[in-house]
Amino acid sequence: MSWRMVFVFCLLSLLPPQAVAQEARPAGKSALLLIPEDTALPAMAMLVASLRSSLWEAQDGPISLDVESLDLGWARGPAYTQALHTWYLAKYRERRPDALIAFRSDAIQVALQLRRELWPEIPMIVLSEDDRLWEQQPRPERVAGLLLHYDMRATAELALRLLPGTRRLALINGSSPWERARQEQLVRELQPLLAQRGLEFIDLSNLPLAELLERARTLPDDTTVLTFTFMTDPSGRPFVGREIARMMLSASNRPSFALHDTVLGLGFVGGALVSYEAVGQQLGMLTSRVLRGEQEEFLAPLKPAPVDTLTVDARALRRWDIPRDRVPSGVRLAFDEPTLWERYRWWVLGALTISGLQALVAGGLVVERRRRMRAQAELLERQRLEKLAEMEARRTLEQLAHVSRVAALGELAASLAHELNQPLAAILSNAQAARRLLNANPAELDEVREALGDIISDDKRAGEVIHRMRALLKRGEPRQELHSLNDLVREVARLVANDMHLRGATLELALTPSLPTVQGDGIQLQQVVLNLLINAMDAMADVPAGQRQLQVRTASPGPGQVEMSVQDSGGGIEPSRLALIFEPFYSTKEHGLGMGLSISRSIVEAHGGRLQAESPPGQGALLRCVLPAAHTESSP
């Protein structure tokens, strides 16, 4: 210890003040962490790394974390403490952190004194294993903290569950002042359990290392070993706890339990293991809240930090022949790797039986080959029959669609006759007028030319009517072409315009311009529009003549979709019948076949779309047809 003091004082005397006062830090938060042991120790290294990561994740801006190792477990005496205090006063006199963090009760005392003399106004965050921190009077101000509990009672209860024949509990611990203080607390927690179970307590703490290892080799058979830490022996000789744990586990003739997850995997059976990664995370989150200015953290007492987990090493269970069914539910089973037999037993069994199965496999392959050949022949025949059935169904649908178009045009016969009669009568009238004009003296040629122009126009009009009728009556294979839905609607609307006039109905077209084109058979798509319009006119038969209104809308409801809706002003459709109107042979008309809407839905679905019916209250029936848009767009 003396060389440490000499080194500190020599360094302070040789350094100029400007060397102690470091350059100003860049903008951002900073924190100073005081830990009791060297950062090379696994527990300290894991805590620091986790704390640093948690702070960076929780803070909005950059934060720098300075870490100071106090080596309190390996150094003793007030002289070392005073030298340590003097060194940090000089080192941090010109460096003011935004927060001071301390872990463990002995480091917390050093941090409190350092803060009192340098920065009494900065907040302090502590992680203490001693719940008596707030019993100090007066209570430290602007201090927030967490309580870290080393649960020796839960570890002992787990040991008794796994080893029910235990009659003695042996405790191994080091001799540093901090270890002795913690042992008093651990033994105090164990006393009720010792009295309740009638267990003998064997104290192996505060022993030289050689004597400790010798005692561990000769423990009685009904003993279970509990360990805490081992930083120094009674002579003050420092040790690395992890290395002492390896030596003790190698020497001990009885299963041992621990309290730190950093020694899991060395051979300990398990325990209520403290995760120093979780300790760092919770300490970092609390520090971040304090740095953001949350004052309520200073008013609360130390809150327990739930960072320990009951854990059992599966390999240690096998070593000490502890049955797996003794492990309580909820206990984490670490290193649960299968044994060589568990891992490869099926391979071994398979290798032993494979020779006996070879003959059966060969015979089975022959039988399976014949069966597969029959199955393939049956499958090909089934596919051929299904293809024939599909072709027959398609032909039947096309025939039904053609019959439906013929029937629809039959219903429009009077309207179509009137539609043809008008241009024919006009042609006759204009021809007679032209003859009279030619017989006049002199002949009125301008008037004749005008009459002949009217004859040509009326002839084209009659020709268009006949062309539309022939297209709808024509039978043939479906053709996949690009069509404008607006043009299809307009052509059908012209075809039924006179029939609507005769029925006293009005048709309103609300067609959205620049709709994407649709791909399919134009005749079939026109048949869908025709069926929907005729169905809507029939639905308005009971409505007074002046109130029969039919509206056709087109729109693009979403990317890659084109929609046409037909809404009438009839009585609507009962909700219970909405699912039935598309069924074959279901009709609400007295002499209807019930095939129009069914065929329409089949045509729409064959084009990759959908046809659905709605009945808005008080607004008649609404039939909505949605078709996929073609890749190439065209304006209507």
Side-chain angles (χ1 to χ4, degrees):
M1 182 183 63
S2 58
W3 68 267
R4 293 176 181 266
M5 296 173 53
V6 171
F7 173 76
V8 169
F9 283 113
C10 291
L11 185 62
L12 288 175
S13 61
L14 293 175
L15 286 177
Q18 58 271 23
V20 178
Q22 298 184 1
E23 296 180 359
R25 292 180 175 272
K29 298 288 186 179
S30 65
L32 173 61
L33 170 63
L34 300 183
I35 56 175
E37 307 300 340
D38 197 313
T39 54
L41 298 179
M44 298 298 105
M46 189 175 296
L47 183 147
V48 172
S50 178
L51 171 62
R52 194 185 305 275
S53 175
S54 178
L55 281 176
W56 272 96
E57 291 178 2
Q59 286 295 111
D60 296 334
I63 180 170
S64 59
L65 179 67
D66 291 326
V67 182
E68 296 289 352
S69 302
L70 304 183
D71 288 337
L72 297 177
W74 291 352
R76 301 186 182 184
Y80 174 74
T81 304
Q82 181 60 38
L84 198 65
H85 181 69
T86 303
W87 163 245
Y88 286 126
L89 283 179
K91 183 176 181 179
Y92 286 96
R93 188 172 301 279
E94 301 299 330
R95 291 174 54 183
R96 179 186 180 280
D98 295 291
L100 182 61
I101 312 171
F103 164 56
R104 224 171 71 180
S105 56
D106 46 358
I108 292 172
Q109 298 302 325
V110 174
L112 285 171
Q113 184 178 2
L114 189 65
R115 187 184 72 151
R116 270 195 306 269
E117 297 190 32
L118 288 179
W119 329 285
E121 74 284 356
I122 70 170
M124 181 172 172
I125 301 91
V126 301
L127 178 66
S128 175
E129 80 292 350
D130 190 347
D131 57 0
R132 296 171 297 179
L133 177 64
W134 289 158
E135 295 179 4
Q136 301 181 30
Q137 297 297 331
R139 171 177 170 172
E141 297 182 355
R142 293 180 59 77
V143 176
L146 295 172
L147 178 63
L148 175 61
H149 182 216
Y150 294 103
D151 200 344
M152 184 65 80
R153 170 70 181 264
T155 301
E157 290 176 345
L158 175 62
L160 295 177
R161 286 287 298 273
L162 298 177
L163 301 164
T166 299
R167 296 294 177 266
R168 297 176 176 85
L169 289 179
L171 176 63
I172 293 179
N173 192 26
S175 302
S176 69
W178 179 79
E179 288 172 314
R180 291 199 301 269
R182 296 288 67 77
Q183 179 170 335
E184 293 179 5
Q185 181 180 355
L186 298 177
V187 173
R188 189 165 55 248
E189 293 178 359
L190 286 176
Q191 285 299 333
L193 181 63
L194 296 172
Q196 178 184 355
R197 301 290 184 92
L199 303 175
E200 178 185 343
F201 180 70
I202 301 176
D203 188 1
L204 299 181
S205 62
N206 204 27
L207 294 178
L209 179 59
E211 184 178 348
L212 170 65
L213 297 178
E214 183 61 31
R215 291 283 302 274
R217 293 188 183 95
T218 58
L219 289 171
D221 292 340
D222 55 1
T223 304
T224 297
V225 179
L226 306 176
T227 67
F228 185 53
T229 61
F230 201 95
M231 294 186 290
T232 63
D233 67 359
S235 66
R237 179 184 173 190
F239 296 98
V240 176
R242 189 179 179 89
E243 299 304 320
I244 298 301
R246 293 182 188 275
M247 298 170 63
M248 188 277 297
L249 289 169
S250 177
S252 177
N253 64 341
R254 299 302 302 154
S256 301
F257 292 76
L259 296 179
H260 311 278
D261 70 343
T262 52
V263 297
L264 183 64
L266 298 181
F268 289 99
V269 178
L273 303 184
V274 170
S275 168
Y276 288 92
E277 181 180 7
V279 168
Q281 289 177 352
Q282 295 205 15
L283 191 59
M285 289 187 292
L286 177 59
T287 302
S288 178
R289 291 197 297 272
V290 171
L291 288 174
R292 288 197 297 265
E294 298 184 14
Q295 301 294 324
E296 61 271 12
E297 299 290 350
F298 301 131
L299 304 177
L302 293 181
K303 294 180 292 187
V307 293
D308 58 331
T309 304
L310 286 175
T311 305
V312 169
D313 189 334
R315 298 174 302 185
L317 293 181
R318 290 192 290 268
R319 176 191 173 190
W320 296 103
D321 295 327
I322 301 174
R324 292 277 291 269
D325 56 7
R326 291 183 186 175
V327 178
S329 60
V331 174
R332 182 171 72 95
L333 199 60
F335 307 109
D336 189 18
E337 300 177 357
T339 62
L340 290 177
W341 168 247
E342 291 172 341
R343 183 178 300 172
Y344 298 110
R345 59 181 174 181
W346 297 114
W347 295 92
V348 175
L349 292 176
L352 293 176
T353 58
I354 194 170
S355 58
L357 292 175
Q358 284 180 344
L360 294 176
V361 170
L365 288 175
V366 173
V367 174
E368 182 63 24
R369 182 174 180 273
R370 293 178 179 176
R371 186 180 302 167
R372 186 181 297 115
M373 292 176 64
R374 288 197 302 269
Q376 288 177 348
E378 293 175 357
L379 179 61
L380 291 174
E381 180 64 18
R382 187 182 302 113
Q383 290 176 345
R384 187 182 68 84
L385 294 176
E386 289 177 354
K387 187 173 183 179
L388 290 175
E390 182 181 353
M391 294 173 62
E392 185 64 27
R394 188 181 299 112
R395 282 196 295 267
T396 303
L397 177 61
E398 292 172 1
Q399 291 173 358
L400 285 174
H402 181 261
V403 171
S404 177
R405 292 198 297 273
V406 172
L409 290 176
E411 295 181 12
L412 298 175
S415 174
L416 293 173
H418 179 76
E419 184 76 9
L420 286 172
N421 186 55
Q422 284 184 345
L424 292 176
I427 289 172
L428 177 60
S429 176
N430 283 315
Q432 292 173 347
R435 186 172 59 182
R436 287 195 303 270
L437 293 171
L438 288 173
N439 292 333
N441 191 12
E444 299 181 8
L445 297 180
D446 292 337
E447 297 290 339
V448 172
R449 291 189 185 94
E450 184 177 349
L452 291 176
D454 291 339
I455 290 173
I456 294 173
S457 175
D458 292 332
D459 179 79
K460 289 181 178 180
R461 177 181 171 191
E464 289 177 0
V465 174
I466 295 173
H467 173 74
R468 289 195 294 269
M469 291 177 59
R470 288 182 61 189
L472 290 172
L473 291 172
K474 183 180 179 181
R475 292 182 59 180
E477 291 295 325
R479 302 174 63 183
Q480 296 294 319
E481 299 174 337
L482 296 177
H483 298 279
S484 167
L485 187 58
N486 287 347
D487 291 344
L488 297 177
V489 171
R490 291 190 186 102
E491 289 182 11
V492 177
R494 285 194 291 267
L495 193 62
V496 301
N498 193 67
D499 189 60
M500 296 193 67
H501 178 71
L502 294 176
R503 296 194 189 196
T506 58
L507 174 63
E508 178 187 351
L509 298 180
L511 308 180
T512 301
S514 302
L515 276 182
T517 56
V518 295
Q519 187 170 12
D521 186 85
I523 302 301
Q524 292 184 358
L525 294 176
Q526 280 187 321
Q527 181 178 356
V528 173
V529 180
L530 180 61
N531 287 347
L532 296 184
L533 293 180
I534 293 176
N535 188 74
M537 288 190 291
D538 292 340
M540 298 186 297
D542 297 332
V543 178
Q547 302 178 15
R548 300 174 185 173
Q549 297 179 353
L550 181 59
Q551 187 179 65
V552 180
R553 292 179 176 272
T554 60
S556 179
Q561 291 183 334
V562 180
E563 177 185 284
M564 178 192 69
S565 61
V566 178
Q567 184 169 9
D568 59 60
S569 60
I573 306 172
E574 294 182 8
S576 60
R577 297 186 177 182
L578 284 174
L580 300 175
I581 63 173
F582 294 105
E583 295 294 328
F585 306 110
Y586 179 84
S587 176
T588 57
K589 297 180 286 188
E590 183 177 355
H591 302 292
L593 292 177
M595 293 299 295
L597 290 179
S598 176
I599 292 174
S600 298
R601 170 173 275 190
S602 299
I603 293 174
V604 172
E605 290 179 349
H607 284 74
R610 65 180 186 275
L611 180 61
Q612 59 190 28
E614 303 173 13
S615 185
Q619 300 181 26
L622 175 63
L623 292 169
R624 195 184 307 275
C625 172
V626 180
L627 294 169
H631 294 296
T632 303
E633 297 185 358
S634 61
S635 300

